[in-house]
Amino acid sequence: MQSDTGKTHLITLVTAAVLLLSAACASASDMYMCTARNGSISFTNTPTDSNCTELVEKKKFATAIKPSASTFGASFYYPTTGYSGSIDKYISFAGARYNIDPRLLRAVIQAESGFDVRATSNKGAIGLMQLMPETARELRVRNPLNPWENIDGGARYLRQMLDTFNGNLRLSLAAYNAGPGAVKRAGGIPSYPETQNYVRTVLRHYRSYRGEG
């Protein structure tokens, strides 16, 4: 049997451990992503307005959105909003993750699907950013109809195109639509009417989102 002194010491240790665990949990969840009116993004643990969205660790987020585990890093944070959350916040978050202007992502989504989460094309493209099934598989997007997975996959693919074409926006958009191989073979934007119209449409939306008329 333990002495009263031993019991007191054990209770003190258990209490300290509980307090430390509670603090660790609080620090992990009390993180917010704030989106300014100009589209810029910042992270804070002291939100100041309604434009801030709470972020949680991957384990907690997975229960709501179930993203592909192989897509994300263990220390990365995700929005707490699930399927019913704001698409705009997903766009802002993906823009921050892949260093793409969220207004450009909005322009691509508007041109691709008109913000229809369940949009499908006659060629088989799926979701907000109209991912082809083979492209979705390459990007490890398990469910292209999941708004977050679709936006994250599409933004990642656009980032790949921007890197491939040294940041040339027109060529990158053409590659997003027609494939990088077609752009390389053409030595520029392919002569496909669909692709040429697509590039013009996205750029027009992008200028509009940037307030350039």
Side-chain angles (χ1 to χ4, degrees):
M1 179 180 293
Q2 290 181 312
S3 65
D4 290 341
T5 301
K7 290 180 179 180
T8 300
H9 183 63
L10 179 60
I11 292 172
T12 301
L13 288 175
V14 171
T15 302
V18 170
L19 291 174
L20 286 172
L21 181 59
S22 298
C25 292
S27 64
S29 61
D30 296 343
M31 182 67 69
Y32 296 78
M33 178 184 73
C34 301
T35 307
R37 290 184 178 179
N38 63 3
S40 63
I41 296 172
S42 61
F43 297 88
T44 180
N45 59 0
T46 54
T48 57
D49 54 46
S50 60
N51 290 326
C52 297
T53 301
E54 185 181 6
L55 308 177
V56 296
E57 290 180 296
K58 176 184 172 183
K59 286 183 179 179
K60 297 178 183 178
F61 181 72
T63 61
I65 207 71
K66 297 181 181 179
S68 170
S70 59
T71 303
F72 307 124
S75 62
F76 203 75
Y77 284 85
Y78 306 92
T80 56
T81 48
Y83 285 95
S84 61
S86 169
I87 289 174
D88 192 62
K89 286 184 171 61
Y90 293 156
I91 293 170
S92 296
F93 203 77
R97 186 179 189 192
Y98 297 110
N99 192 26
I100 298 175
D101 186 346
R103 294 169 294 186
L104 176 59
L105 293 178
R106 293 186 190 106
V108 170
I109 292 173
Q110 184 170 345
E112 290 284 358
S113 65
F115 292 90
D116 182 354
V117 172
R118 296 190 172 276
T120 55
S121 75
N122 55 8
K123 294 181 180 179
I126 303 171
L128 290 166
M129 297 193 73
Q130 290 291 276
L131 300 178
M132 294 296 290
E134 59 269 26
T135 302
R137 284 192 294 270
E138 291 173 1
L139 294 168
R140 297 179 180 177
V141 174
R142 293 182 179 179
N143 180 8
L145 292 176
N146 176 321
W148 166 248
E149 284 198 69
N150 192 285
I151 291 172
D152 181 79
R156 183 147 36 99
Y157 186 65
L158 181 57
R159 178 73 265 166
Q160 291 174 6
M161 298 304 99
L162 288 165
D163 291 342
T164 298
F165 295 99
N166 300 314
N168 186 306
L169 182 54
R170 293 173 63 84
L171 295 183
S172 299
L173 290 173
Y176 189 95
N177 177 263
V183 174
K184 291 176 181 178
R185 287 192 297 272
I189 298 176
S191 59
Y192 313 146
E194 176 189 335
T195 300
Q196 294 185 350
N197 183 63
Y198 174 81
V199 173
R200 287 194 296 267
T201 300
V202 173
L203 291 177
R204 184 174 68 250
H205 291 325
Y206 187 33
R207 286 193 296 270
S208 178
Y209 282 123
R210 293 171 65 181
E212 297 175 3

